[in-house]
Amino acid sequence: MARLILSSLLLLLSILYISSTAESAVARHSGATDFIKASCSATRYPVLCVQCLSMYSNAIQRSQRQLAQTALSVSLARARSTTAFVSKLGKAKGMKGREYQAVKDCVDNMSDSVDRLSRSLRELGHMGQAGGQEFMWHMSNVQTWVSAAVTDENTCVDGFAGRGMDGHVKASIRGRVINVAQVTSNALGLVNQFAARH
Ligand SMILES: *[C@@H]1O[C@H](CO)[C@@H](O)[C@H](O)[C@H]1NC(C)=O
């Protein structure tokens, strides 16, 4: 009888334990999600920002640094795949003079933006626990490069503003690059928040 009571007690305790850890995991998750939403609300494209980052809430938790780093990684990945996409389109036959030139310039600008974004990520990664002057120095490098990456991406978009281009090619490139430029602009906003709140 005593044994039976003891084992039911143990069972009850383990149920309580399991449900409390599950609960705290849920609380942690929603804490991170709220943090991402609050930080994204100050960016230029808040809905896109939450869309891009909420799936990484476990890695981000409530860390400004992780948030900025993740936003930059997402932006870099999109810039890379878009550069590959545009470059492949540029190799298609039958592209006309102006259009060909715009695609070529766009690939140049997008490759620049990929370089700047990957340099920014490395810089953030190397900062470690740097404080004071050193932190500000690395941070201002990152801010400069990410801001230049946004300019590169917008330059590509502007190249497709004119008439006289294949509507389909133009639309598919513009749409993708505009998305990358918005994601990068958001990443810049989150980098600036990290710099300001450090
Ligand atoms: C974009 O690429 C073109 C062609 O290489 C170049 O002339 C222009 O300076 C680039 N713009 C930026 C902002 O890098």
Side-chain angles (χ1 to χ4, degrees):
M1 189 62 190
R3 237 176 145 155
L4 187 63
I5 291 174
L6 185 65
S7 62
S8 345
L9 199 62
L10 280 177
L11 183 66
L12 184 68
L13 280 177
S14 50
I15 290 173
L16 283 176
Y17 175 74
I18 289 169
S19 64
S20 76
T21 50
E23 219 163 79
S24 69
V26 169
R28 231 180 11 252
H29 178 77
S30 72
T33 307
D34 287 346
F35 169 70
I36 293 170
K37 279 187 188 150
S39 307
C40 280
S41 72
T43 63
R44 195 167 296 181
Y45 309 97
V47 175
L48 179 64
C49 178
V50 173
Q51 226 174 56
C52 288
L53 296 172
S54 57
M55 73 181 88
Y56 302 106
S57 63
N58 272 338
I60 294 169
Q61 292 303 323
R62 301 178 68 85
S63 154
Q64 293 278 354
R65 176 195 295 270
Q66 279 299 332
L67 183 63
Q69 222 153 8
T70 308
L72 277 179
S73 306
V74 170
S75 160
L76 175 60
R78 292 199 184 193
R80 276 205 175 115
S81 69
T82 300
T83 308
F85 171 82
V86 178
S87 157
K88 208 166 142 196
L89 266 187
K91 290 181 182 121
K93 287 198 177 113
M95 203 164 266
K96 291 168 289 180
R98 257 197 75 205
E99 193 173 45
Y100 177 77
Q101 194 58 48
V103 169
K104 200 164 153 287
D105 288 351
C106 176
V107 172
D108 278 352
N109 296 145
M110 289 302 293
S111 307
D112 269 359
S113 103
V114 166
D115 286 346
R116 294 188 218 263
L117 289 171
S118 47
R119 232 191 310 161
S120 301
L121 255 179
R122 276 201 304 275
E123 188 88 350
L124 265 190
H126 287 162
M127 277 164 55
Q129 296 307 311
Q133 289 280 317
E134 205 189 334
F135 176 87
M136 294 312 290
W137 157 251
H138 289 298
M139 221 42 233
S140 80
N141 284 338
V142 173
Q143 288 167 310
T144 306
W145 297 335
V146 178
S147 159
V150 176
T151 306
D152 287 326
E153 292 155 5
N154 283 326
T155 306
C156 162
V157 174
D158 291 345
F160 291 93
R163 293 158 189 272
M165 287 185 206
D166 178 301
H168 182 69
V169 170
K170 185 171 140 174
S172 61
I173 293 180
R174 279 195 87 215
R176 278 167 208 249
V177 181
I178 285 173
N179 177 270
V180 178
Q182 292 179 345
V183 170
T184 309
S185 154
N186 282 344
L188 178 60
L190 296 173
V191 163
N192 290 340
Q193 279 183 40
F194 173 42
R197 290 175 192 171
H198 184 72

